[in-house]
Amino acid sequence: MQTSKWDAIIIGSGPAGLAAAQLLGRSRRRTLVLDSGSGRNRFAEHMHGVVGFDGAEPAALRARGRDEAAAYGVEFRSAEVATVRDRGDALEVVTRDASVRTRSLVVATGLTDVLPNVPGLRERWGLSVLHCPYCHGYEVRDQRLGVLVTSEAALHQAQLVRQLSERVTVFVGGARDAAGELVVPAVSLPDEVAHRLRARGVEVVADAAVVAFSGDELALEQIQLEDGRSIDVDAVFAAGAVVPHDGMLAGLELVRDETPFGSVIKVDQAGLTSHPRVWATGNVVTPMANVPMSLGSGTMTGAIVNWFLVEEDGERAVAAEYWETKYGGERVWSGRVNRVLEDVAATLPAGRALDLGCGEGADVLWLAARGWDATGIDLSSSAVARAQAAAAEAGVSGATFIAADVGDALEQLSGQEFDLVTASFFQSPVALARTAVLRTAAERIRPGGRLLLTSHAAPPAWAAERAGAGHGGAGHVGAGAGHGSAHFIQPDDELAALDLDPSGWEVEVAERRPREIAAPDGTPSTIDDSVVMLRRRGGERA
């Protein structure tokens, strides 16, 4: 399966999806649109109430919208999305042929109108069986019109249709399929609504269910009732049950809203769901929205998604500046291998290793010198340059360094597997999706391989002693915590945050381990490290 990373992926290329795509394309976002080609309004020959496109074919709007978005660099692929997985710093969108990753996702998949299985109804859908008086009503004005009330929520249609014609019949007695089963329940007409309809000359049929729609070929001429009566009509409005196309999001467990039209994903005014990287817009969350409303909501969503990406870009830039400043001056670390890694890796057969946040490369160089094919990743280009220079000076082969955001680098290494992934003091006072990155890296470990994490579990003993003596030792905790972070990680908390499936992972080490260090004044002291090592089940490695 191919894997790539996008700024935004949009599922669905109806009006909402195309509007979002155009905004993101114009914002120079790397945007991919995935569409299965089954738009809701594909059954309609024309669309109305769309300023500038009144009477145009829906396909014409789609084609023009695709061309406009493509001109801004938006890419389109024909695909049906099977599932979406949360990868923390990204989302994985899985289709039949590919797995693609994205920083943000816009769901504009629309819905399906599920029509009652009444003989003669479905084949006339979009022709003489209509769902929206605003979209199709004017074209059947002054004709003999019917309204099949399929639920209490559809009662408003009866009053809307009366504005289009003086010859209106409303059917509230339900409907049956060819086998006689009741597929549309009878709906009780409130006295106030019934009074209004009668006062305006609307005929109400409440004592018999509809059993068939008939006419010459696909024209509609009569509605048949179960008591043998026939009512002459030229067109009928019938609202089917709406089923949003959101099944691919089930694994994200998004919060939902219960509405008069059924269950939909809950979103805010800009389309943001309960997941910070997922937006939904158009009919998939607003079943009654017409084309202009979907265009407007898609435009708003596209703009807000771009702002989300702008903020994330800003956080990444601040992080890059911080670490480049830290490593851009004199050498930071001692050049000695981390003690925990030395103790652990000395017992393992050499293989492929990956070091996250490698700094100036001491751990990678140590592994490579012992036969490992070792790769180090760090955000600071200065740190990586220093590591590369050290490797060349020592004549160490098998050491590779990548200067990049760790999450982005893992994308570059997609498809590669490792026997050991290690992260020593992988913390940051600026933006770092630490847990998300570690979970992604864990996926790169082959069966039998290991994930080794070392963090400070407490401030150094000298800091605690000074704090107790009133020397303001707390102010030194950040420096002692490694990489400038004052957050101490306990083994159990590390395991809980990773939340790796125990059926696939075995915990080999989860402990606080003391280590000897020197205090700033040169006197001996100690510090407790949090050490967690997990082994991926399967494989033959020792």
Side-chain angles (χ1 to χ4, degrees):
M1 301 177 79
Q2 278 191 326
T3 303
S4 58
K5 192 170 186 179
W6 300 81
D7 287 332
I9 288 179
I10 299 170
I11 310 177
S13 66
L18 289 172
Q22 187 176 103
L23 256 290
L24 287 163
R26 286 180 56 82
S27 299
R28 306 186 72 181
R29 291 298 178 185
R30 187 165 180 255
T31 304
L32 172 66
V33 179
L34 302 174
D35 187 76
S36 64
S38 55
R40 182 188 188 189
N41 62 359
R42 67 190 184 279
F43 298 103
E45 294 181 351
H46 305 94
M47 58 186 179
H48 299 281
V50 187
V51 175
F53 281 89
D54 189 60
E57 296 181 5
L61 177 66
R62 285 174 175 261
R64 182 167 176 176
R66 287 173 68 105
D67 289 345
E68 290 174 348
Y72 296 119
V74 176
E75 294 188 32
F76 289 82
R77 294 180 191 172
S78 178
E80 184 171 349
V81 176
T83 190
V84 176
R85 300 187 181 117
D86 187 352
R87 299 306 187 194
D89 62 335
L91 294 162
E92 182 182 13
V93 180
V94 181
T95 69
R96 177 181 298 179
D97 303 317
S99 172
V100 288
R101 293 205 179 198
T102 180
R103 295 168 59 191
S104 62
L105 179 69
V106 177
V107 180
T109 45
L111 53 80
T112 293
D113 296 280
V114 180
L115 303 174
N117 189 23
V118 182
L121 176 65
R122 293 182 178 179
E123 56 265 40
R124 293 179 170 85
W125 181 250
L127 300 173
S128 52
V129 177
L130 311 170
H131 81 287
C132 173
Y134 292 110
C135 301
H136 309 292
Y138 187 82
E139 284 62 47
V140 294
R141 65 193 181 282
D142 295 329
Q143 298 182 33
R144 298 169 300 179
L145 305 180
V147 179
L148 175 61
V149 178
T150 55
S151 68
E152 291 185 5
L155 283 174
H156 72 288
Q157 277 198 344
Q159 300 179 74
L160 289 174
V161 171
R162 174 59 184 84
Q163 183 63 25
L164 302 170
S165 175
E166 295 181 353
R167 297 178 292 173
V168 178
T169 304
V170 175
F171 301 87
V172 295
R176 298 185 183 277
D177 62 14
E181 295 293 327
L182 193 67
V183 291
V184 175
V187 175
S188 177
L189 199 62
D191 291 342
E192 180 183 3
V193 176
H195 190 182
R196 289 179 180 176
L197 293 176
R198 287 197 304 269
R200 299 199 68 186
V202 175
E203 181 181 357
V204 177
V205 176
D207 57 350
V210 172
V211 295
F213 296 79
S214 60
D216 185 23
E217 295 185 350
L218 294 182
L220 180 60
E221 297 173 357
Q222 293 181 327
I223 292 180
Q224 312 292 332
L225 302 177
E226 62 183 342
D227 61 7
R229 284 181 292 165
S230 295
I231 308 297
D232 294 337
V233 294
D234 301 304
V236 66
F237 289 86
V242 293
V243 179
H245 297 162
D246 57 20
M248 78 290 292
L249 303 175
L252 300 182
E253 299 182 345
L254 302 177
V255 175
R256 303 186 72 87
D257 259 342
E258 296 302 322
T259 76
F261 307 105
S263 175
V264 298
I265 296 169
K266 185 174 183 178
V267 296
D268 67 10
Q269 290 182 335
L272 180 62
T273 71
S274 55
H275 190 290
R277 294 186 182 272
V278 181
W279 284 257
T281 184
N283 282 155
V284 69
V285 290
T286 313
M288 294 300 105
N290 61 9
V291 171
M293 294 169 68
S294 294
L295 287 170
S297 65
T299 299
M300 172 64 77
T301 296
I304 295 301
V305 169
N306 180 57
W307 180 246
F308 163 81
L309 295 170
V310 165
E311 289 189 313
E312 188 170 71
D313 289 340
E315 291 175 354
R316 289 185 174 189
V318 168
E321 180 184 57
Y322 174 87
W323 288 111
E324 188 57 29
T325 299
K326 187 174 184 67
Y327 285 110
E330 297 296 323
R331 186 179 182 88
V332 175
W333 304 119
S334 65
R336 294 190 298 270
V337 64
N338 176 269
R339 177 63 59 82
V340 172
L341 175 65
E342 182 180 18
D343 291 344
V344 170
T347 66
L348 301 177
R352 296 196 67 214
L354 179 65
D355 185 15
L356 308 178
C358 67
E360 293 163 321
D363 289 357
V364 173
L365 295 176
W366 185 89
L367 288 166
R370 282 151 184 79
W372 289 78
D373 179 1
T375 299
I377 305 171
D378 201 276
L379 189 58
S380 169
S381 57
S382 292
V384 166
R386 195 165 287 158
Q388 291 170 331
E393 181 180 351
V396 176
S397 62
T400 302
F401 295 95
I402 300 173
D405 174 88
V406 176
D408 292 342
L410 287 172
E411 294 296 330
Q412 297 175 28
L413 297 171
S414 176
Q416 299 187 34
E417 292 186 327
F418 298 90
D419 301 295
L420 174 66
V421 171
T422 182
S424 300
F425 312 110
F426 186 54
Q427 297 164 262
S428 174
V430 289
L432 171 64
R434 182 178 184 276
T435 299
V437 167
L438 292 178
R439 287 178 60 84
T440 299
E443 296 174 3
R444 305 284 196 268
I445 298 174
R446 61 168 54 101
R450 289 170 171 84
L451 174 64
L452 174 63
L453 307 177
T454 305
S455 306
H456 288 303
W462 61 263
E465 291 167 0
R466 290 190 179 184
H471 293 294
H476 298 277
V477 171
H483 292 273
S485 172
H487 176 60
F488 302 109
I489 300 176
Q490 306 307 311
D492 288 346
D493 295 335
E494 186 82 272
L495 292 171
L498 288 172
D499 193 28
L500 297 178
D501 185 355
S503 67
W505 292 88
E506 172 190 0
V507 178
E508 292 188 320
V509 180
E511 64 185 26
R512 285 177 58 143
R513 184 177 295 183
R515 174 166 52 89
E516 294 181 356
I517 61 171
D521 60 6
T523 60
S525 187
T526 60
I527 188 171
D528 278 1
D529 291 334
S530 167
V531 181
V532 169
M533 185 163 71
L534 300 100
R535 177 181 181 275
R536 191 161 199 165
R537 298 186 187 276
E540 301 299 328
R541 292 183 61 83

